[in-house]
């Protein structure tokens, strides 16, 4: 059997209603895992399930608000009844909120604390903390699990303007390391991926103007990306499938950059 075969695994992808999480869910299903598509948006969740099933995969949608532990618990119980114990968790919930993007009209010092907290909660609390609190101990109890958190290039060196997002994603890397150490002897590995730039819903306004042409920021990003292009969501699948299964049996606390070289570029 291939090192990358995930037959028999149950993969939970929170934020699989979104662009990157959705592509990751498809990739995990193609590798053989049964996939639980989690998120709040039922319409997008069901569309993703249908797409996976159309390709012969197994998937179910479970509504979950990752900002609420009770909602995650309900979803976990329902999905484990339907698909079996979860063995893979991908945390793909997050994004930058324009309300905390620094602009000429919104300098750093005028960011509202409530907005800061909401964006921090989205990326760190819903993005990692609560899902790991809900799914991690059940994996530990069974002695088997692989958790993959989604960081960002901004976690490594803060990009301009997206200050809250950068700080929260830096904390995602740090919490990943903490949990990897905590559960290392208990059969649960915890790693992260660092996507470069992938056009999605949450960053559309930063990357494109209303008529769809690239913003100055897009030109700067692509100029700074050695491969000179955006990533395609399916290009994240290889790193996730690797981290999810037995190919990475001795890999924990690591971060895989899938960024077209963005973080290796200086001049
Ligand atoms: N796109 C990029 O270039 C890029 C680069 C680096 C990192 N990332 C990270 O990759 C991850 C996925 O982002 P994306 O670009 O694919 O954005 P996206 O399409 O907006 O997906 C984000 C998903 O998060 C889910 N979500 C938000 N709040 C939630 C909550 N309270 N409970 C459950 N789900 C919630 C949303 O699903 P519902 O609306 O269904 O709840 C949404 O589908 C994020 O962590 C993002 O920061 C993206």
């Amino acid at each position: 059997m291939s090192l990358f075969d995930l037959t028999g695994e149950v993969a939970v992808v929170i934020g699989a209603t979104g662009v990157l999480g959705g592509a990751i869910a498809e990739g995990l299903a193609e590798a053989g895992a049964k996939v639980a598509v989690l998120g709040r948006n039922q319409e997008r969740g069901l569309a993703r399930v249908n797409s996976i099933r159309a390709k012969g995969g197994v998937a179910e949608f479970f509504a979950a608000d990752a900002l609420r532990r009770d909602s995650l618990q309900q979803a976990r119980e329902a999905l484990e009844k339907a698909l079996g114990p979860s063995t893979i968790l991908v945390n793909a919930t997050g994004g930058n909120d324009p309300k905390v993007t620094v602009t000429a009209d919104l300098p750093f010092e005028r960011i509202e604390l409530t907005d800061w907290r909401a964006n921090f909660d989205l990326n760190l609390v819903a993005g990692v903390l609560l899902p790991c609190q809900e799914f991690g101990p059940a994996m530990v109890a069974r002695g088997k699990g692989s958790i993959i958190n989604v960081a960002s290039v901004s976690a490594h060196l803060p990009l301009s303007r997206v200050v809250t997002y950068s700080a929260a994603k830096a904390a995602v890397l740090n919490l990943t390391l903490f949990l990897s150490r905590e559960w290392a002897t208990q059969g649960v590995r915890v790693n992260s991926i660092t996507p470069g730039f992938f056009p999605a819903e949450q960053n559309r306004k930063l990357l494109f103007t209303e008529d769809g042409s690239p913003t100055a920021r897009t030109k700067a990003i692509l100029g700074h990306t050695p491969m000179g292009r955006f990533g395609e969501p399916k290009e994240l699948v290889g790193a996730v499938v690797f981290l999810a299964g037995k190919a990475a049996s001795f890999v924990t606390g690591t971060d895989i950059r899938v960024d077209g070289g963005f973080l290796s570029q200086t001049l």
Side-chain angles (χ1 to χ4, degrees), residues 165-190:
Y165 180 72
S166 304
K169 287 293 190 181
V172 165
L173 285 183
N174 195 277
L175 185 51
T176 300
L177 293 177
F178 174 83
L179 291 175
S180 72
R181 196 178 57 207
E182 203 68 4
W183 293 332
T185 58
Q186 297 170 84
V188 178
R189 296 179 297 101
V190 189

Side-chain angles (χ1 to χ4, degrees), residues 17-20 40-41 65-66 92 122 151 165 169 196 198 200 202-203:
T17 48
V19 175
L20 301 191
R40 295 165 304 176
N41 188 306
D65 180 352
L122 170 64
Y165 180 72
K169 287 293 190 181
F198 296 73
Q202 50 91 10
N203 57 12

Side-chain angles (χ1 to χ4, degrees), residues 16-17 26 37 41-54 61:
T17 48
E26 301 253 356
V37 168
N41 188 306
Q42 180 169 13
E43 199 183 327
R44 283 189 277 118
L46 290 176
R48 188 59 71 181
V49 163
N50 288 337
S51 162
I52 291 173
R53 288 182 182 162
F61 172 71

Side-chain angles (χ1 to χ4, degrees), residues 45-168:
L46 290 176
R48 188 59 71 181
V49 163
N50 288 337
S51 162
I52 291 173
R53 288 182 182 162
K55 293 180 200 149
V58 176
E60 298 261 3
F61 172 71
F62 300 90
D65 180 352
L67 275 171
R68 287 185 24 227
R69 179 73 184 266
D70 61 333
S71 172
L72 287 169
Q73 185 185 348
Q74 261 178 19
R76 185 177 67 77
E77 287 169 0
L79 79 88
E80 293 193 345
K81 213 181 238 176
L83 301 174
S86 37
T87 56
I88 297 165
L89 169 66
V90 180
N91 284 313
T93 292
N96 182 62
D97 185 334
K99 286 211 281 299
V100 285
T101 304
V102 171
T103 59
D105 295 333
L106 182 68
F108 167 73
E109 62 274 21
R110 291 227 313 270
I111 293 173
E112 294 286 344
L113 189 51
T114 45
D115 296 335
W116 173 282
R117 284 188 173 139
N119 201 235
F120 223 87
D121 278 355
L122 170 64
N123 286 289
L124 185 62
V125 176
V128 179
L129 175 67
L130 293 181
C132 286
Q133 287 185 319
E134 182 54 39
F135 286 87
M139 291 175 169
V140 166
R142 292 189 291 265
K144 181 174 181 217
S146 172
I147 298 176
I148 298 152
N149 297 321
V150 179
S152 159
V153 291
S154 219
H156 299 260
L157 273 180
L159 295 167
S160 59
R161 301 181 57 196
V162 290
V163 55
T164 320
Y165 180 72
S166 304

Side-chain angles (χ1 to χ4, degrees), residues 245-267:
K246 55 185 173 296
S249 57
F250 197 48
V251 179
T252 197
T254 207
D255 178 65
I256 299 185
R257 298 172 178 182
V258 188
D259 67 350
F262 186 88
L263 285 170
S264 12
Q265 177 84 305
T266 51
L267 282 176

